[in-house]
Amino acid sequence: MTHFRWLTTGESHGPGLTAVLEGLPAGVPISEEYIRGDLARRQAGYGRGRRQQIETDWARFRSGVRHGLTLGSPIAMLIENKDWENWQEVMSVAPIERQLNTITRLRPGHADTTGAMKYFQWDARNILERSSARETAARVAVGAVCRRFLEEFGIEIHSHVLSLGGVHAAVPHPVDWAAVEASPVRCADEAAAAVMIAAIDRAKAAGDTLGGTLEVFATGAPMGLGSHIQWDRKLNARIAQALMSINAVKAVSFGAGATVADLAGSRVHDVIRPAEEWGDEGTAAGGVRPWQRRTNNSGGFEGGMTTGEPIITQFVIKPIATLANPLPTVDLVSGAPVQAHYERSDVCVVPAAGVVGESMVAICLAEAMLEKFGGDHLTETFRNYQGYLATLGPRGVE
Ligand code: EPS
């Protein structure tokens, strides 16, 4: 059993976000600068609003790291909200004298309506502050620590935008990840990216918002993470939950995804290549799998376990619910018909969502690696990992 667990705390306009991560072994190299790389990637992307000009997200370690290495103790990280300065009265911990304006014009598509009923609130701010996607900054901090751990095992995680506002990219194989990182919409298809940017500009002018489809691509995970033994041990299912938990996500798929519904089995299943076919490619997989596949329609999973092929998962994010040109709704207090609340928001967060998706996959993979290989120090985890890899391959005669 692993004791891997993590939590985030924080309201969007409160003093800051906190993340606690427990269960990583000692000896993992990590720095605040490393985490900043992913936090900055999440803050970027065409279509973001004014809030990102205020914030420069930085995760400060409060525990769990000494002299650049994890200690095996709980890691706490604090990300300050720079905007807090402007919200001290609105978000005051102590009761205040002044009567503040409340948010009562419920936004369709946000957590406002159900949250206000369920948590017995008169002010939707008491719901939206926590349901805001600001929280994903804390997830990315946890994900970055996990990513650094996975790097020790040669596992790399990327993401890119497949579609945005109905504009679909042509996906080159292999994907040019440097081009993705250089793109304002995190899409390597330059022509499609230009159309996506124009679509964001049009949506902004119309007071509207846009969603899209993202793909996360992880290489180097060894065959055999997760298990077929029980429903909650299937790693693809756990990744699906992790991605579905990202704000505004409506669908998750793997590999060929929904297209397999229309194809015969002979067109779907990934044929296993015997060693004779590998030719100059050497071992099939840099050792993480004993045999290669001719295709990867499974997205790297069979029976809820990694096959050793790249993990490929897609997720769909709806257009964000805060519209500058608001939708009809009702008032929380009077029930009267009104237009929904609007303060300030992003037009499109699709590019940023890819970084959050990578982070969630990193967290799931780190947990699965530690379930399989254990270890209180990275050296021990690595020894167990190498011992396992040495067992992969033709069984021979017992
Ligand atoms: C969000 C609304 C906006 C976004 C926010 C999510 O914030 P504000 O209300 O301060 O303008 O910028 O996302 C972030 C702050 C972030 O860091 O991603 C919402 O209502 O969900």
Side-chain angles (χ1 to χ4, degrees):
M1 179 183 164
T2 160
H3 292 280
F4 187 99
R5 49 191 167 171
W6 64 287
L7 280 175
T8 72
T9 78
E11 275 76 42
S12 182
H13 304 99
L17 305 161
T18 314
V20 179
L21 167 62
E22 182 177 334
L24 271 196
V28 179
I30 189 68
S31 68
E32 293 178 358
E33 289 73 17
Y34 180 91
I35 297 171
R36 170 65 192 155
D38 278 351
L39 290 175
R41 291 169 69 231
R42 192 202 71 94
Q43 284 199 264
Y46 200 80
R48 285 292 229 163
R50 275 176 292 130
R51 175 73 185 272
Q52 296 313 318
Q53 290 157 19
I54 299 171
E55 304 296 340
T56 310
D57 292 337
W58 184 276
R60 221 159 7 107
F61 285 113
R62 305 295 291 161
S63 67
V65 180
R66 181 165 181 253
H67 299 166
L69 296 172
T70 57
L71 294 169
S73 59
I75 295 169
M77 289 173 283
L78 186 67
I79 300 172
E80 282 177 14
N81 287 332
K82 291 238 162 65
D83 205 16
W84 159 240
E85 208 180 292
N86 307 315
W87 294 81
Q88 296 200 22
E89 190 185 21
V90 176
M91 294 302 291
S92 165
V93 171
I96 55 168
E97 297 292 319
R98 202 161 70 88
Q99 187 64 43
L100 295 175
N101 290 335
T102 53
I103 297 179
T104 59
R105 290 173 290 135
L106 304 167
R107 288 166 299 172
H110 218 286
D112 301 358
T113 314
T114 307
M117 289 296 114
K118 180 175 161 63
Y119 286 84
F120 203 60
Q121 297 295 334
W122 273 257
D123 183 355
R125 180 167 300 288
N126 289 338
I127 303 303
L128 69 88
E129 283 290 336
R130 179 61 182 162
S131 69
S132 163
R134 174 78 187 137
E135 183 263 348
T136 60
R139 300 192 195 203
V140 169
V142 174
V145 178
C146 291
R147 186 198 295 274
R148 186 64 197 82
F149 165 73
L150 295 170
E151 270 178 9
E152 296 293 317
F153 301 86
I155 299 173
E156 276 186 30
I157 306 173
H158 298 279
S159 70
H160 61 149
V161 169
L162 295 179
S163 80
L164 193 158
V167 181
H168 290 255
V171 180
H173 288 286
V175 180
D176 179 349
W177 298 116
V180 170
E181 296 303 324
S183 160
V185 284
R186 310 200 72 255
C187 175
D189 177 348
E190 270 186 46
V195 185
M196 290 173 184
I197 288 168
I200 294 171
D201 288 339
R202 269 200 312 279
K204 186 175 183 182
D208 219 328
T209 57
L210 294 178
T213 315
L214 291 304
E215 185 168 71
V216 179
F217 199 95
T219 54
M223 171 184 258
L225 300 181
S227 175
H228 64 297
I229 293 294
Q230 197 63 265
W231 65 271
D232 57 352
R233 294 180 60 189
K234 292 179 184 246
L235 185 55
N236 52 347
R238 286 155 50 179
I239 289 174
Q241 186 198 4
L243 292 174
M244 192 63 104
S245 78
I246 299 170
N247 311 51
V249 170
K250 300 304 280 181
V252 179
S253 56
F254 288 85
T259 63
V260 300
D262 300 332
L263 300 173
S266 56
R267 300 272 309 280
V268 169
H269 300 296
D270 303 309
V271 168
I272 302 172
R273 293 175 75 193
E276 297 82 72
E277 277 188 26
W278 299 345
D280 292 338
E281 295 168 44
T283 64
V288 298
R289 61 200 193 282
W291 296 288
Q292 255 186 3
R293 306 303 178 102
R294 291 194 188 128
T295 53
N296 187 15
N297 290 330
S298 79
F301 284 99
E302 282 172 344
M305 297 174 281
T306 50
T307 61
E309 297 293 325
I311 295 168
I312 304 175
T313 176
Q314 303 88 16
F315 62 101
V316 172
I317 182 164
K318 69 182 180 182
I320 49 180
T322 311
L323 307 186
N325 187 11
L327 291 171
T329 185
V330 294
D331 184 271
L332 170 63
V333 175
S334 67
V338 287
Q339 298 298 109
H341 175 78
Y342 178 77
E343 240 164 34
R344 163 186 81 181
S345 197
D346 307 305
V347 175
C348 178
V349 293
V350 173
V355 181
V356 183
E358 289 173 30
S359 306
M360 296 308 287
V361 170
I363 294 167
C364 292
L365 290 181
E367 180 176 29
M369 286 287 285
L370 288 163
E371 276 167 8
K372 177 111 186 80
F373 304 116
D376 292 310
H377 190 279
L378 182 61
T379 333
E380 191 182 0
T381 312
F382 201 72
R383 197 169 58 222
N384 296 342
Y385 164 80
Q386 285 185 312
Y388 167 70
L389 290 190
T391 70
L392 298 179
R395 283 283 170 255
V397 181
E398 203 169 357

